[in-house]
């Protein structure tokens, strides 16, 4: 068959669907409706004379022919994308779209302060952010890069540190400590109501504490389990329980007298934020500029 421009567009649609195994997620990446993608793929299959995808109400999988096509054309489309991105170095104002999958804490403590000045400096670069605490394959999710704590970055990725280590604190409203007392040792938390935190792999986090050469991990009790620090802070400010959060999240409320830090001399430091991405591909110019901006600090 003769390849035309419509076929090239449909091949790029096919690769996005193959990467996500989902018409909906591929559509979100491409800015195209799922129904439009489905129509395009049916047309491509009809022109090729083979079925590329197996579709059910619950899943999308590649046929043997689909696997062959993806293997044959995927690297070529990546090479084209890299070649186009190289042109950015000749532009006065770089362009591009950066897709990020980031932790809630990274969104609040890192991207929130840094992005306004980045967008002001590079107005033609788009930043598409998915905030998720789940442990996801960022490449399969269609992201260019992910931001996680250093200890959770997948080993097969290239990683760069973006922030210093973070101090974690136990905190609640002064009214809570007036009612139930201030814990003086991490083990005292076993007699308190704490906000338990669910991690991205669905396990429950044990609060970590350090003092001198002693380290403790306490599986705290509590009536409420959350996976969102904004909710945890709100509940703590209302005196519902003790929360365990990065200190920079708590400090604005501590300074206003809405929260009080307990066990300050036991506070533990954890790995800072790292950005990670596949090493097999050339780093897009827009992503490189964002990394340099995040690592540079001084975002005012």
């Amino acid at each position: 068959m003769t390849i035309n421009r419509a076929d090239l567009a449909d091949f790029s649609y096919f690769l996005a669907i193959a990467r996500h195994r989902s018409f909906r997620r591929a559509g979100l990446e491409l800015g195209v409706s799922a129904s439009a993608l489905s129509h395009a793929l049916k047309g491509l299959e009809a022109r090729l004379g083979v079925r590329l995808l197996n579709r059910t109400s619950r899943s999308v999988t590649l046929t043997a022919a689909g696997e062959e096509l993806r293997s044959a054309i995927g690297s070529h489309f990546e090479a084209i994308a890299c070649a186009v991105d190289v042109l950015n170095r000749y532009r006065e104002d770089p362009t591009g779209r950066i897709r990020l999958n980031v932790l809630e804490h990274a969104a609040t403590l890192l991207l929130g302060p840094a992005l306004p000045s980045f967008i002001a400096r590079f107005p033609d670069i788009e930043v598409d952010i998915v905030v998720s605490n789940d442990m996801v394959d960022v490449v399969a999710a269609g992201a260019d890069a992910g931001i996680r704590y250093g200890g959770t970055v997948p080993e097969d990725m290239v990683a760069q540190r973006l922030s210093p280590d973070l101090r974690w604190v136990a905190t609640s409203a002064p009214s809570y400590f007036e009612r139930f007392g201030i814990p003086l040792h991490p083990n005292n938390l076993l007699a308190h109501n704490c906000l338990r935190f669910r991690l991205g792999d669905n396990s429950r986090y044990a609060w970590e504490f350090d003092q001198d050469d002693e380290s403790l991990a306490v599986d705290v009790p509590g009536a409420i389990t959350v996976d969102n620090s904004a909710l945890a802070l709100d509940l703590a400010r209302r005196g519902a329980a003790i929360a365990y959060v990065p200190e920079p999240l708590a400090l604005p409320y501590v300074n206003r007298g809405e929260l009080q830090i307990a066990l300050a001399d036991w506070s533990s430091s954890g790995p800072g934020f790292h950005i990670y991405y596949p090493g097999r591909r050339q780093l897009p110019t827009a992503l490189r500029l964002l990394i340099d901006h995040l690592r540079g600090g001084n975002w005012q």
Side-chain angles (χ1 to χ4, degrees):
M1 61 174 285
T2 301
I3 303 298
N4 57 41
R5 286 189 297 176
D7 294 319
L8 292 175
D10 290 347
F11 283 142
S12 68
Y13 291 167
F14 161 74
L15 289 172
I17 297 166
R19 184 164 56 250
H20 289 284
R21 296 295 200 274
S22 164
F23 282 86
R24 183 186 65 81
R25 291 197 296 270
L28 289 174
E29 175 189 332
L30 297 169
V32 179
S33 69
S35 61
L37 285 182
S38 180
H39 179 76
L41 259 292
K42 287 178 181 177
L44 180 62
E45 289 174 327
R47 295 193 299 278
L48 295 176
V50 294
R51 180 181 290 275
L52 301 173
L53 302 172
N54 292 315
R55 309 167 179 84
T56 70
S57 59
R58 295 186 177 182
S59 66
V60 176
T61 59
L62 295 177
T63 64
E67 290 283 6
E68 290 274 2
L69 181 62
R70 182 181 65 167
S71 297
I73 69 174
S75 60
H76 298 291
F77 272 77
E78 286 187 10
I80 292 170
C82 288
V84 171
D85 185 67
V86 166
L87 299 178
N88 256 332
R89 71 182 63 173
Y90 299 101
R91 295 177 183 272
E92 184 175 340
D93 297 313
T95 65
R97 185 182 183 206
I98 308 167
R99 293 163 298 193
L100 300 174
N101 188 292
V102 307
L103 284 173
E104 172 206 357
H105 293 161
T108 303
L109 296 176
L110 188 65
L111 294 182
L115 282 181
S117 54
F118 178 78
I119 295 302
R121 185 178 177 187
F122 303 108
D124 294 324
I125 294 178
E126 298 180 37
V127 185
D128 186 341
I129 303 165
V130 173
V131 179
S132 172
N133 291 328
D134 293 343
M135 300 299 293
V136 299
D137 182 336
V138 296
V139 176
D144 298 303
I147 301 179
R148 294 288 185 276
Y149 287 117
T152 62
V153 172
E155 294 182 358
D156 59 344
M157 295 284 177
V158 175
Q160 295 191 51
R161 176 184 281 270
L162 297 178
S163 77
D165 289 348
L166 288 173
R167 189 170 180 251
W168 289 69
V169 296
T171 185
S172 192
S175 60
Y176 175 91
F177 294 123
E178 289 171 6
R179 290 165 59 201
F180 301 106
I182 299 175
L184 301 178
H185 187 278
N187 286 335
N188 295 156
L189 293 170
L190 297 174
H192 281 265
N193 190 22
C194 300
L195 292 166
R196 298 188 291 184
F197 202 87
R198 187 187 310 108
L199 297 174
D201 60 2
N202 225 27
S203 63
R204 200 169 63 212
Y205 178 67
W207 295 9
E208 297 174 278
F209 297 93
D210 295 302
Q211 188 183 80
D212 299 326
D213 295 329
E214 186 176 2
S215 297
L216 295 174
V218 183
D219 186 10
V220 296
I224 302 173
T225 300
V226 300
D227 67 353
N228 180 280
S229 290
L231 175 59
L233 283 168
D234 187 58
L235 290 168
R237 289 164 55 211
R238 296 173 186 273
I242 301 174
Y244 186 75
V245 297
E247 186 178 41
L249 288 180
L251 281 181
Y253 303 107
V254 172
N255 293 336
R256 293 199 295 266
E258 298 177 38
L259 287 176
Q260 179 178 340
I261 292 175
L263 299 167
D265 53 345
W266 281 91
S267 293
S268 174
S269 290
F273 299 120
H274 287 63
I275 190 164
Y276 62 99
Y277 46 86
R280 64 181 181 275
R281 291 184 287 194
Q282 178 178 318
L283 194 65
T285 299
L287 180 57
R288 176 179 56 78
L289 291 171
L290 178 62
I291 292 172
D292 291 344
H293 187 76
L294 293 174
R295 297 186 74 187
N298 298 318
W299 301 314
Q300 300 302 322

